[in-house]
Amino acid sequence: MDPVRILKQIWRWFDDLTGFSQSLGPIMAHPVPRARKTRWFYVFGSATLIAFLVQVVTGIALSSAYVTGSGQAYDSLRFITSSPIGRIIRGIHYFGASAMIILIGLHTIRVYLMGAYKYPRQMNWLTGAGLLLFTLLMAFTGQLLRWDQMGFWTAVVAAEQAGRAPLIGNWLGHFLLAGNTVGGATLSRFFAAHVFFLPALMFLFIAVHLYLVIFNGISEPPKAGRPVDPRTYRHWYHSLLEREGIPFWPQAAWRDVFFGAIVVLAIFVLALVVGPPELGKPPDPTIISASPRPDWYFMWYFALLSLIPKWSERWVIILGPLVFGLFLILVPLLGGRGERSPLRRPWAILIILSVVFVIAHYWVVGIRAPWSPRLDAQPLPSSVVGVADGPIADGARVFYDKGCEYCHTISGYGGIRGPDLSDAGDRMSAAQMATRIFSGAENMPSYRGNLKPEELASLLAFLASRHRVQLPTPPALQGLARQEAAHGR
Ligand code: HEC
């Protein structure tokens, strides 16, 4: 028996019963616009789909060993990570999520810049906007399922921030947490959203999205001076395909396959080499000094919320997403016709550039995390302290030992959560400083009972010796200072 013939026979039998080649064949071979120069820009959508499928497969694998329950979730993830296969699967799921976020972002930017959301593809855009929202929600809910310090505190912070939204705040916070505090019910709620509710919606939206891509056809590359007119577009598009269309498979789609394979390979290599994110400590609601840090894709938003003035927070929290959502909905509804080329839509380029700039800026800020104590601060070098012993040198040591340096900078050393104290001696009297040290502040612990009298004395001596212009001035600068004085400056 010839195995090839047997396989062929099985296929014929299967095809006869399902009509696969009759229904799918024409779809695979349907003509698409020839886009010689821009074809590679079209691969992000299919790559997003591939990353999604990677997430489905690894997510199912993870959920088969993950235990939902505030007592066990963390340990079950520990257990998963302890086996080599579990570690790789967690790694793939993590980098797959990152890839999906990047790819859906690139896809959205590409579609927006090329004006591909214009007639007749407005509904393609709207379903895509839904998918973008669901993807972000997946990333957010997944982060919490890790159920370590970070995941736990991210949920707390998110709920607190949701709680500040006007009118619906209380209800929203309560709904997010499934109660008044983060607990087992919160975990169940996020788990259900992450593995049932959101994926089901995504499958539905992806089905409609793909159907629309085929029904409306893939957009042709935009050309300046060729605006979209809904009355003539479809007719024109079909004649374009007749004139110079190429079959989707394989002439156009090989790039999608090639790029998708690279994406999968990159995810796999990163999972293997870098591995999944470390699990932090198990969640402990009593540790209030934990500084939550979301996964990289939310870092910029987190930084933004941490840095804006307190009074504006509730507006940014509610208005930011609202404006973004409204923008996504209005783009195809108001701009459904006219020029598609980015060359004729300079504001589109400007919008993308400013969004990218804001995200990049706050992302960098988020990585530096000025609001969280710098726990790896080193003792102040003697060049900064100025003296080797005596109360000032003792005070510098106390400043480091008691963790002041986690939050305060002295001459460029230390954290930036609290005010810079390099010139504390100029700005404050010893009594003022002692009051602050004893009473603490909103973001500074009180040191009452935590400093011996002699420690406080040397600490104050050290701080009092901090001046904007450190005295004595080094000889080289003294000459300069004399010159400046002579010129009357
Ligand atoms: C967890 C971070 C943190 C730690 C640790 C910390 N501080 Fe502060 N500190 C702050 C913040 C934030 C402020 C600003 C408070 C305010 O005025 O609202 C502040 C304010 C001060 C001020 C007043 C500065 C000014 O310009 O108004 C002094 C002085 C000070 N801290 C000294 C210390 C000393 C000394 C220590 C160690 C014994 C210390 N701090 C530990 C966060 C911290």
Side-chain angles (χ1 to χ4, degrees):
M1 284 289 254
D2 181 1
V4 177
R5 264 192 51 200
I6 296 181
L7 279 180
K8 269 192 178 152
Q9 242 160 25
I10 292 179
W11 166 248
R12 238 174 271 133
W13 172 79
F14 178 78
D15 197 31
D16 180 39
L17 296 188
T18 58
F20 245 57
S21 56
Q22 273 180 50
S23 56
L24 277 188
I27 291 181
M28 292 309 282
H30 79 285
V32 298
R34 175 189 299 263
R36 274 191 213 84
K37 288 190 198 124
T38 51
R39 192 81 209 121
W40 280 105
F41 290 130
Y42 284 71
V43 297
F44 300 129
S46 62
T48 309
L49 178 61
I50 290 173
F52 174 72
L53 295 178
V54 168
Q55 293 307 86
V56 171
V57 173
T58 49
I60 289 174
L62 284 174
S63 74
S64 67
Y66 180 80
V67 185
T68 331
S70 57
Q72 295 122 309
Y74 181 80
D75 288 330
S76 71
L77 270 182
R78 274 244 118 103
F79 170 73
I80 290 173
T81 317
S82 68
S83 89
I85 299 219
R87 197 184 116 88
I88 291 180
I89 291 180
R90 252 198 81 206
I92 296 179
H93 203 66
Y94 174 72
F95 286 106
S98 304
M100 201 172 155
I101 299 245
I102 295 175
L103 291 168
I104 203 171
L106 290 175
H107 181 55
T108 310
I109 291 176
R110 195 280 288 169
V111 168
Y112 179 66
L113 281 182
M114 285 195 174
Y117 55 82
K118 289 181 190 267
Y119 182 89
R121 303 186 179 84
Q122 287 106 318
M123 204 48 86
N124 299 38
W125 170 274
L126 290 175
T127 50
L131 285 166
L132 177 63
L133 173 74
F134 299 148
T135 304
L136 294 176
L137 287 177
M138 281 301 269
F140 178 73
T141 51
Q143 192 170 276
L144 183 120
L145 296 188
R146 233 176 271 149
W147 207 241
D148 55 359
Q149 255 331 330
M150 311 293 196
F152 184 86
W153 279 100
T154 310
V156 173
V157 170
E160 264 178 15
Q161 299 196 323
R164 292 210 198 104
L167 300 181
I168 56 166
N170 275 341
W171 176 84
L172 198 64
H174 197 90
F175 175 77
L176 270 181
L177 297 189
N180 287 325
T181 53
V182 180
T186 317
L187 188 55
S188 295
R189 176 144 300 181
F190 277 75
F191 183 76
H194 190 79
V195 305
F196 299 121
F197 184 60
L198 290 170
L201 276 176
M202 290 178 91
F203 274 116
L204 186 71
F205 271 64
I206 288 174
V208 177
H209 197 67
L210 290 184
Y211 160 77
L212 289 171
V213 167
I214 291 168
F215 177 71
N216 287 321
I218 293 175
S219 68
E220 78 286 357
K223 203 162 140 192
R226 197 175 60 197
V228 171
D229 182 349
R231 279 169 307 178
T232 54
Y233 181 81
R234 280 200 200 272
H235 182 73
W236 175 84
Y237 179 74
H238 284 295
S239 63
L240 174 84
L241 289 189
E242 264 164 36
R243 258 182 292 123
E244 47 182 75
I246 53 174
F248 177 64
W249 181 262
Q251 262 102 313
W254 70 266
R255 290 183 184 80
D256 297 88
V257 174
F258 182 75
F259 185 70
I262 288 187
V263 166
V264 172
L265 194 73
I267 293 173
F268 188 74
V269 168
L270 282 170
L272 208 63
V273 176
V274 182
E278 287 289 322
L279 284 175
K281 297 202 182 69
D284 177 354
T286 58
I287 302 181
I288 50 156
S289 65
S291 50
R293 317 246 304 142
D295 283 339
W296 67 264
Y297 29 79
F298 287 131
M299 192 66 103
W300 69 274
Y301 188 60
F302 197 72
L304 188 82
L305 289 182
S306 306
L307 288 187
I308 53 176
K310 278 258 177 308
W311 61 265
S312 65
E313 233 168 52
R314 51 173 31 203
W315 298 107
V316 173
I317 286 168
I318 205 74
L319 283 182
L322 210 66
V323 167
F324 180 61
L326 219 61
F327 175 78
L328 287 182
I329 293 175
L330 290 183
V331 154
L333 298 187
L334 297 184
R337 53 172 67 210
E339 286 281 354
R340 280 186 51 202
S341 166
L343 300 177
R344 296 284 169 93
R345 293 161 51 237
W347 68 91
I349 299 180
L350 212 70
I351 288 176
I352 293 294
L353 279 184
S354 33
V355 167
V356 168
F357 176 79
V358 166
I359 289 184
H361 173 76
Y362 280 101
W363 191 63
V364 171
V365 169
I367 296 210
R368 286 174 55 228
W371 57 85
S372 65
R374 188 159 297 169
L375 298 177
D376 56 354
Q378 298 296 314
L380 293 170
S382 52
S383 60
V384 167
V385 180
V387 290
D389 47 24
I392 292 183
D394 290 343
R397 232 163 283 133
V398 174
F399 190 77
Y400 171 74
D401 289 341
K402 292 292 177 185
C404 315
E405 212 186 315
Y406 293 161
C407 299
H408 292 288
T409 301
I410 299 262
S411 306
Y413 293 87
I416 45 180
R417 168 146 195 173
D420 190 325
L421 295 181
S422 309
D423 58 349
D426 295 336
R427 293 192 285 115
M428 274 171 287
S429 70
Q432 283 171 324
M433 293 194 263
T435 309
R436 172 56 81 227
I437 293 170
F438 274 145
S439 60
E442 192 178 340
N443 287 316
M444 168 165 163
S446 155
Y447 281 83
R448 190 185 300 279
N450 193 6
L451 283 171
K452 297 195 197 89
E454 63 271 20
E455 284 175 333
L456 179 65
S458 48
L459 189 56
L460 291 177
F462 167 68
L463 288 175
S465 73
R466 296 301 106 189
H467 299 286
R468 199 145 56 88
V469 182
Q470 284 294 328
L471 302 171
T473 319
L477 290 181
Q478 275 169 10
L480 199 68
R482 260 198 307 276
Q483 271 178 11
E484 287 190 350
H487 286 89
R489 263 181 257 167

